[in-house]
Amino acid sequence: MEKMEWIAPCHFGLESVLKREIQNLGYEITQVEDGRVTFRGGMDAACRANIFLRTAERILLKAGCFTAVTFEELFQKTKEIPWERYIPENGKFWVTKAASVKSRLFSPSDIQSIMKKAMVERMKSRYYTQWFTEDGASYPVRVFLMKDVVTVGIDTTGVSLHKRGYRPAAGKAPIAENLAAALIMLTPWKKERILVDPFCGSGTIPIEAAMMAANIAPGMNREFTAEQWTNLIDRKYWYEAIDEAHDQMDTNIETDIQGYDIDGDVLKTARRNAADAGVDHLIHFQRREVSQLSHPGKYGFIITNPPYGERLEEKAALPKLYREFGESFRKLDTWSAYMITSYEDAERYFGRKADKNRKLYNGMLRTYFYQFTGPRPPKQKR
């Protein structure tokens, strides 16, 4: 099988987590950059990456990479890409997004328009036609410009991979599913250990943890744009990837994963989301204030996305909230806590300086992932 290059964009700061995921699938990493990881694999890679990767935003088939400092250069080099290799004569094609950083070409709408014209000119010369019906499968193109280097990819995914399909309804300020998964993967938590989210909202962090514990592939119950690319990807690769996902899944396990929130209505949403994800039997949701955070078990994990106070009326409540969180955590003397927040006084009111913190971007919002590590549990005697 011919190997291609594939691009997996991700949240800034999570490249190392995504890289490890891709390597665990057995693919060769060719490049790691801010916000994306490029890897090599056959056409089956599109299917397996879309279905199994928890932290990627989408999977792009890399069509070209070149330097362009003028729109004429952008046109000519886009025209040199062998589009007929990827897009059939009746394919629907357009430049769905262009992003430019520190490049002389910076107008997204101009970049999109010029590249579309170049694609049309190339395909006219290869298909010997002046008109394309574009009534077939979709081939949306995404373009990144970084310091005048243009990277062109065709989107295999469609709706972003963070949309697992289990969360049609979300509470206030929900965390994206792929970011939630990445936060869990940045901790030493394993399915045998306790996990509590005291600000669980619509349940994303507990649900992602339960899906990991049960080995449920995040993309196994949704559709992808490239499923219609029958000119490139044989249907058998999709069937094989889904079969692989079913073979790995094990929901007959026991876990201690808990989600607390003070909002009873949002907990109803969390329970519904967990049921849609097939993991409601693995999570205990309860209405509880953070001041009541407790657990009889030892060496547990708190992984959470507490309120940031982005709205002024909420900001006044944050000192008390983080203080109560810190006081409750100190009573759990063998536990570890991990929280993502943009609140600049988080450590001050939590009452402890983090052992580590990691800068991450939650959308365009700069946040920190504070890590308060507890003691390791004693090794089990054989």
Side-chain angles (χ1 to χ4, degrees):
M1 188 191 309
E2 182 187 1
K3 291 193 174 181
M4 314 289 291
E5 278 199 298
W6 306 90
I7 304 167
C10 64
H11 286 267
F12 285 99
L14 297 178
E15 299 83 4
S16 62
V17 184
L18 177 55
K19 176 185 175 183
R20 187 166 70 244
E21 272 202 284
I22 293 168
Q23 288 174 325
N24 288 343
L25 282 181
Y27 299 115
E28 173 198 355
I29 304 294
T30 57
Q31 191 172 20
V32 179
E33 304 164 89
D34 286 346
R36 63 184 189 266
V37 179
T38 304
F39 62 101
R40 190 180 298 279
M43 285 300 174
D44 65 309
C47 313
R48 297 183 69 238
N50 273 304
I51 288 167
F52 287 102
L53 291 181
R54 298 184 189 277
T55 61
E57 291 280 342
R58 59 187 63 252
I59 305 301
L60 308 175
L61 171 57
K62 186 174 179 180
C65 187
F66 54 82
T67 300
V69 297
T70 67
F71 284 121
E72 176 61 23
E73 200 170 11
L74 177 68
F75 179 90
Q76 293 299 338
K77 291 190 175 180
T78 300
K79 191 177 171 184
E80 290 173 7
I81 294 173
W83 294 106
E84 68 282 357
R85 180 182 178 189
Y86 311 117
I87 304 173
E89 188 173 349
N90 71 334
K92 182 181 179 182
F93 59 98
W94 72 102
V95 182
T96 184
K97 185 171 182 182
S100 179
V101 179
K102 298 178 182 176
S103 294
R104 277 167 274 192
L105 304 179
F106 55 83
S107 167
S109 59
D110 288 335
I111 292 165
Q112 289 169 288
S113 174
I114 286 164
M115 292 188 70
K116 167 76 177 190
K117 288 175 183 175
M119 294 170 69
V120 168
E121 288 304 309
R122 169 78 187 203
M123 291 172 65
K124 277 182 181 178
S125 67
R126 294 307 188 272
Y127 287 121
Y128 306 104
T129 184
Q130 294 297 307
W131 178 256
F132 295 99
T133 59
E134 297 197 48
D135 56 359
S138 294
Y139 297 79
V141 174
R142 288 179 172 252
V143 188
F144 312 95
L145 283 80
M146 170 61 79
K147 296 180 180 177
D148 301 324
V149 175
V150 183
T151 304
V152 186
I154 311 175
D155 183 14
T156 72
T157 303
V159 176
S160 173
L161 287 176
H162 80 269
K163 298 280 190 181
R164 318 292 205 213
Y166 66 74
R167 199 180 77 177
K172 288 189 295 184
I175 189 169
E177 294 89 328
N178 54 351
L179 178 55
L183 299 184
I184 299 165
M185 293 164 76
L186 283 169
T187 78
W189 179 78
K190 298 287 185 290
K191 64 183 178 183
E192 299 81 17
R193 305 282 291 275
I194 304 161
L195 188 153
V196 173
D197 180 357
F199 304 98
C200 74
S202 55
T204 308
I205 290 175
I207 291 169
E208 288 295 319
M211 289 177 70
M212 289 182 196
N215 231 355
I216 297 174
M220 65 186 297
N221 292 316
R222 52 158 290 172
E223 296 177 344
F224 305 99
T225 297
E227 287 182 66
Q228 306 306 317
W229 293 5
T230 52
N231 62 313
L232 289 177
I233 304 175
D234 194 303
R235 293 290 301 176
K236 72 173 184 177
Y237 295 131
W238 293 104
Y239 297 137
E240 287 170 359
I242 289 294
D243 287 345
E244 182 184 355
H246 279 291
D247 290 344
Q248 292 181 10
M249 187 170 64
D250 181 9
T251 57
N252 295 317
I253 57 172
E254 291 187 7
T255 60
D256 191 344
I257 300 171
Q258 304 194 24
Y260 307 145
D261 206 280
I262 59 169
D263 187 332
D265 288 334
V266 84
L267 285 173
K268 290 178 184 176
T269 300
R271 292 187 182 100
R272 189 164 62 247
N273 290 344
D276 288 345
V279 294
D280 50 320
H281 63 298
L282 299 177
I283 307 170
H284 173 66
F285 289 109
Q286 187 178 39
R287 188 174 182 179
R288 189 187 288 199
E289 294 187 12
V290 73
S291 60
Q292 300 172 318
L293 173 61
S294 64
H295 194 289
K298 298 285 189 182
Y299 306 104
F301 286 77
I302 295 168
I303 306 176
T304 193
N305 174 42
Y308 302 174
E310 290 307 302
R311 289 187 284 269
L312 285 175
E313 66 270 20
E314 295 176 350
K315 202 147 196 167
L318 292 187
K320 178 176 182 287
L321 187 79
Y322 281 79
R323 190 182 296 116
E324 288 177 346
F325 184 17
E327 288 169 357
S328 297
F329 174 61
R330 280 189 286 281
K331 295 172 188 173
L332 298 165
D333 57 352
T334 63
W335 282 48
S336 298
Y338 301 82
M339 67 172 165
I340 182 172
T341 180
S342 66
Y343 182 45
E344 62 274 9
D345 290 322
E347 289 173 299
R348 173 186 169 193
Y349 290 111
F350 191 75
R352 174 177 162 182
K353 186 169 177 58
D355 298 296
K356 291 181 182 177
N357 74 59
R358 188 183 187 114
K359 183 167 69 174
L360 300 172
Y361 280 85
N362 186 358
M364 296 303 294
L365 186 65
R366 185 173 68 180
T367 63
Y368 288 91
F369 189 46
Y370 294 101
Q371 304 170 48
F372 306 91
T373 52
R376 290 184 178 182
K379 290 185 177 179
Q380 296 288 327
K381 292 181 180 180
R382 292 185 179 179

